[in-house]
Amino acid sequence: MSLLGTLAQTATAQTVAAEPATPFSFAALVDRARQTAAQAYVPPEVLSAAFTDLDYDAYRTIQFNEARARWAGPEAFAVLHAYHPGWLFDSTVDLFEIVDGMAVPMDFSARDFRYGGDVEQPLIDGEIFPGVAGFRLNMPLNAPDRFDEVVTFLGASYFRALGKDNRYGLSARGLAVNTATSEAEEFPRFSAFWLTRPAPGDTAVTFYALLESESVAGAYQFTVTPGETTTIDVTSELFFRRDIEQLGIAPLTSMFLFGLNDQGPFDDYRTRVHDSEALIINNAGGETLYRVLNNPQKLANSYFGAQSPRSFGLVQRNRDFESYLDAEAFYERRPSLMIEPVGDWGDGTVRLIEIPTDLETNDNIVAFWIPQNPYGAGSSAKVSYRLHWGMTPPGAQSDLAQITHTLAGAGGVSGVEPSADTRKFVIDFQGGLLAEPIAELLVEARTSIYGGTLVQEVLQRVDGQDATWRLVLEVAADPGAIVEMRANLAEGDRLLTETWVYQWMKN
């Protein structure tokens, strides 16, 4: 959508107050979350059949009418589009605009949407919807004279954002509660948002949200700054109405179907299909863990203890079209997302969950931070962090030599019958300190294998590639074993590379 003056003419009726405006502040929202947690949980009301009877084919033909974009005008920095309620989105969120410290309801009706095909409007013209499914913000991102979608909030507490030249891939969530535990998982939802219209000259958009679930209520503040790397600053205050077995802070959700390390059973012309290829953790002591993702045959878990990490996230490092060969999905343009804690998060664990899937439409990767101390009924927590979305956000690359390939295959000697008893893992390290003049005899591999046996280890500089070293590990394990592996390269006491970590489930 281009920056045209006609937008200002067609978006004059931007906010119609069906309810009176009320005072708003983040402090007041925190108090509301505290009071909400002190009361019994009230589930959201389900929409009428006029909305829920919409099927996938009908819902996807409904588009927001760009001429009705909120905040549009000649000096606009951001415009807001809403998502139509219905189909899977059987409950709604409320949107408010903060005007002079007052929360003014933002109302939407069928006039705000275009209905394709034979889809009928669920309500008559002029009748206000009970809410919307979510919203998105469009801002100048890839060109100064064009509004591109930058961030979208849709479904429960899920949201996604884009940096320059990105296409949507992985998602973030407001909170994860009891994910893959003995307790039933909860999916907290943002029930209402309060948005501040950017003033002329602003370079960011700030808004607020109320989060609710059976066990927790929370007040959130978001500040979105678009750019080559788009950042979202998050401040949250959480209040717990009952004990939580596992609290997941800054949860990420992505997809990994197959890659060079794990081709699986897929007969596909592409060599990689994934929104993210690895989990990265930058520890406070300067070590960078690089964990290539898998699509396991059964649910897999990995836990990485850390004390207030500098950052962690899910990354897509390979940026060449030739790596994916997908002219529709363009996986090479999926954003990496790094979480940068603000303040001291203390001791805790980054948990990685990998779920088996046979479809690239299924998100099967989850990662989040688990604080060491659990939260019980009546307790509270304050958590702040910054999300970095982009091609190469801070923390996604290391000053150390980086891991460029993880390859895996049958063990044994190449060119002869492969070994069914062992598996070979090949790790390439490139750049960074390896580009410096280093005596080859001084570089050594530091390898640890748990749950299996290291049969052979070979380290060599790759001919013609002065800054590339290859480590080959041949590993044996009993059937059904879960093998955890770890390796890096060092020169004496000096760490030269990122630390490769990997999980192998022996069939």
Side-chain angles (χ1 to χ4, degrees), residues 269-281:
Y269 69 92
R270 301 165 297 179
T271 56
R272 306 172 190 259
V273 174
H274 48 67
D275 286 334
S276 305
E277 61 186 273
L279 168 73
I280 284 185
I281 304 172

Side-chain angles (χ1 to χ4, degrees), residues 95-128:
L95 302 185
F96 299 85
E97 182 176 353
I98 304 170
V99 181
D100 297 329
M102 304 294 287
V104 181
M106 301 178 74
D107 296 317
F108 298 86
S109 69
R111 296 176 181 175
D112 292 301
F113 298 90
R114 293 193 175 102
Y115 297 84
D118 299 326
V119 180
E120 296 183 1
Q121 297 178 184
L123 300 178
I124 62 173
D125 281 345
E127 190 173 355
I128 301 300

